[in-house]
């Protein structure tokens, strides 16, 4: 079954009680049992919900995973992975990653005795050089947020498995339409479903997929015990959004490519970060492990100052200044002061995230209108 067909049909059946083609919203907190312990597979909605179960099966199929779990947010999904570790364990992560992940790692979990080391994963040798017998997890983000760096999932996974270390990949920027980390050797794939998968800026949700039953059992225990689960209404909305994921991603990629080239040739632009350029570092890796280069682009104005960046941000009309990404509408963000403000400036600068960097989430609007808006904003 190919991707577009899986998006509409995988794990989804007509409702057996009514024949409804859309999965019903099971808005219930509990389920009646025939006698103690005798039930229809559902006991309490924190543990299971039929709407959520259908979504989990559908998302697992899109990532070629045997198991899937949905969570209240991308951060609660990420937190669940880290909760499988113990004090004294060590995690190696890419140096360029989402600010919320960095904050969770360094300000929440480090105080419980888990050590986090950040390294430029674009060079896999740098990862292997710092692995110790205490390393239990490699946390990969590719393409990275917001520098659009590309990390070789297959190479990192091979290193992890050589040393008995699990590999988790944040696949949010690519979506399962463009990239499937489990097929590249990763043990775990994570999504902020909020972004491309839901696609309409109306849901907060996270997802974890794996084909390892022992890992899924851990995730299920934590999901039920901690209770960070999405509600059935949100699960319904995501199921609806997934039906057009392949169509939306095609348009995101088409618009993204045109805007990336427009920016690269614009006299008022200094640098453009997009993995589709042939001169982009690790472009060959992106071409190997992705089916397209996505709709995320970062750039800096030629007048590389905070004042010029703020002026540019205030001039956009179609691109809305807002956090998040991956929705049908185009957004513009200021990572240094918004999504990545929790990362100390000296660490941001090392990774290339300057105070003048602008991040675009290119939507599905008419490309001529988007380019016109960009042109008037950056002139």
């Amino acid at each position: 079954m190919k991707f577009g067909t899986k998006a509409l049909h995988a794990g989804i059946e007509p409702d057996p009680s009514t024949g409804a083609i859309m999965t019903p919203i099971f808005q219930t907190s509990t389920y009646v049992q025939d006698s103690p312990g005798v039930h229809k597979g559902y006991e309490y909605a924190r543990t299971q919900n039929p709407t959520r179960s259908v979504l989990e099966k559908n998302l697992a199929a899109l990532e070629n995973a045997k198991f899937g779990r949905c969570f209240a947010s991308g951060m609660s999904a990420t937190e669940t992975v880290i909760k499988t570790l113990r004090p004294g364990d060590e995690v190696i992560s890419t140096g360029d990653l989402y600010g919320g992940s960095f904050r969770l790692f360094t300000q929440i979990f480090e105080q419980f005795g888990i050590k986090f080391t950040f390294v430029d994963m674009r060079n896999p040798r740098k990862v292997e050089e710092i692995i110790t017998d205490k390393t239990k997890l490699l946390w990969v983000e590719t393409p990275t947020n917001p520098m659009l760096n590309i990390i070789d999932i297959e190479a990192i996974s091979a290193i992890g498995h050589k040393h008995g270390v699990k590999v988790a990949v944040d696949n949010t920027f690519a979506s399962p339409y463009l990239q499937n980390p489990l097929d590249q050797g990763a043990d775990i794939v994570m999504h902020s479903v909020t972004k491309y998968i839901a696609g309409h800026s109306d849901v907060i949700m996270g997802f974890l997929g794996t084909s390892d039953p022992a890992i899924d059992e851990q995730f299920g225990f934590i999901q039920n015990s901690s209770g960070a689960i999405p509600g059935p209404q949100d699960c319904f909305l995501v199921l609806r959004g997934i039906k057009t994921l392949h169509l939306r991603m095609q348009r995101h990629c088409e618009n993204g490519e045109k805007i990336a080239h427009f920016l690269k040739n614009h006299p008022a632009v200094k640098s453009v970060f997009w993995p589709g350029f042939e001169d982009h570092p690790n472009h060959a890796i992106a071409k190997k492990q992705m089916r397209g280069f996505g709709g995320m682009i970062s750039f800096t104005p030629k007048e590389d100052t905070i004042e010029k960046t703020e002026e540019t941000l205030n001039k956009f009309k179609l691109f809305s200044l807002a956090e998040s990404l991956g929705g049908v509408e185009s957004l513009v963000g200021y990572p240094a002061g918004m999504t990545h403000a929790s990362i100390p400036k000296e660490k941001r600068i090392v990774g290339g995230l300057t105070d003048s960097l602008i991040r675009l989430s290119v939507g599905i609007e008419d490309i001529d209108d988007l380019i016109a808006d960009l042109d008037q904003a950056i002139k």
Side-chain angles (χ1 to χ4, degrees):
M1 193 183 295
K2 302 218 169 160
F3 190 93
T5 307
K6 286 198 290 186
L8 271 75
H9 295 288
I12 303 171
E13 299 288 344
D15 177 52
S17 62
T18 64
I21 196 166
M22 294 299 293
T23 302
I25 302 171
F26 286 87
Q27 194 71 53
T28 185
S29 61
T30 193
Y31 308 86
V32 174
Q33 302 187 21
D34 296 330
S35 61
V38 179
H39 49 75
K40 297 177 176 62
Y42 296 92
E43 301 169 79
Y44 188 60
R46 171 168 38 78
T47 310
Q48 305 126 323
N49 177 280
T51 315
R52 190 175 88 216
S53 296
V54 170
L55 175 60
E56 290 173 336
K57 290 175 184 176
N58 183 250
L59 282 172
L62 296 185
E63 278 291 9
N64 299 326
K66 292 182 180 178
F67 312 100
R69 303 277 177 175
C70 286
F71 297 84
S73 68
M75 295 316 304
S76 59
T78 301
E79 179 187 58
T80 296
V81 178
I82 307 303
K83 281 180 175 177
T84 64
L85 305 177
R86 298 290 180 267
D89 289 347
E90 297 180 356
V91 178
I92 298 174
S93 175
T94 179
D96 170 32
L97 81 165
Y98 170 52
S101 300
F102 181 88
R103 180 178 57 223
L104 179 72
F105 294 166
T106 60
Q107 297 185 40
I108 302 295
F109 281 105
E110 277 194 346
Q111 66 181 326
F112 297 113
I114 298 174
K115 180 183 176 182
F116 294 86
T117 302
F118 301 93
V119 66
D120 186 351
M121 284 187 166
R122 288 177 296 179
N123 183 348
R125 286 196 301 271
K126 291 185 177 181
V127 176
E128 188 156 27
E129 286 171 0
I130 62 173
I131 286 182
T132 72
D133 58 357
K134 293 183 178 180
T135 306
K136 303 300 180 186
L137 178 70
L138 304 182
W139 183 268
V140 180
E141 187 180 286
T142 183
T144 62
N145 180 3
M147 299 308 299
L148 282 303
N149 289 319
I150 298 298
I151 296 166
D152 190 333
I153 298 171
E154 187 175 4
I156 297 295
S157 297
I159 290 170
H161 298 157
K162 174 183 174 182
H163 295 272
V165 176
K166 295 291 189 292
V167 178
V169 178
D170 181 341
N171 199 30
T172 299
F173 263 33
S175 87
Y177 179 76
L178 296 181
Q179 182 172 268
N180 298 117
L182 300 187
D183 292 348
Q184 305 292 327
D187 301 286
I188 301 161
V189 59
M190 193 285 290
H191 281 280
S192 174
V193 176
T194 309
K195 313 304 192 296
Y196 283 113
I197 291 175
H200 293 79
S201 303
D202 54 7
V203 171
I204 299 290
M205 192 183 297
F207 171 78
L208 292 174
T210 184
S211 292
D212 187 320
I215 294 176
D216 179 66
E217 186 177 357
Q218 285 183 299
F219 290 166
F221 177 80
I222 295 169
Q223 180 191 51
N224 182 51
S225 300
S226 296
I229 49 105
Q233 173 75 27
D234 286 349
C235 293
F236 173 86
L237 289 172
V238 173
L239 279 166
R240 184 174 66 172
I242 288 173
K243 292 180 185 296
T244 59
L245 176 59
H246 56 302
L247 302 176
R248 289 186 283 108
M249 289 306 301
Q250 290 168 13
R251 185 60 173 262
H252 285 301
C253 289
E254 291 169 5
N255 282 355
E257 181 175 6
K258 291 174 182 176
I259 285 177
H261 285 280
F262 166 78
L263 289 171
K264 192 171 187 179
N265 295 317
H266 200 287
V269 173
K270 178 181 178 182
S271 303
V272 185
F273 305 93
W274 181 68
F277 293 135
E278 290 188 4
D279 60 355
H280 183 285
N282 276 4
H283 167 75
I285 301 299
K287 197 172 180 180
K288 179 189 74 170
Q289 68 189 22
M290 299 175 70
R291 293 179 284 272
F293 303 111
M296 296 302 300
I297 302 165
S298 293
F299 73 97
T300 54
K302 183 156 285 185
E303 189 179 329
D304 194 359
T305 65
I306 296 176
E307 292 74 21
K308 177 59 179 177
T309 298
E310 289 180 351
E311 176 190 334
T312 301
L313 290 169
N314 291 333
K315 288 169 64 179
F316 282 103
K317 294 180 173 63
L318 280 180
F319 282 82
S320 298
L321 180 62
E323 297 204 11
S324 199
L325 59 102
V328 290
E329 61 286 306
S330 294
L331 300 179
V332 59
Y334 178 51
M338 296 168 69
T339 54
H340 292 67
S342 60
I343 300 178
K345 182 174 180 177
E346 61 273 14
K347 292 185 179 295
R348 285 193 280 107
I349 296 298
V350 168
L353 203 174
T354 65
D355 286 338
S356 59
L357 188 80
I358 294 172
R359 190 190 75 179
L360 300 178
S361 173
V362 179
I364 65 171
E365 300 95 336
D366 189 285
I367 187 61
D368 293 335
D369 293 328
L370 293 179
I371 287 178
D373 189 36
L374 273 166
D375 192 37
Q376 66 81 26
I378 62 181
K379 271 183 178 177

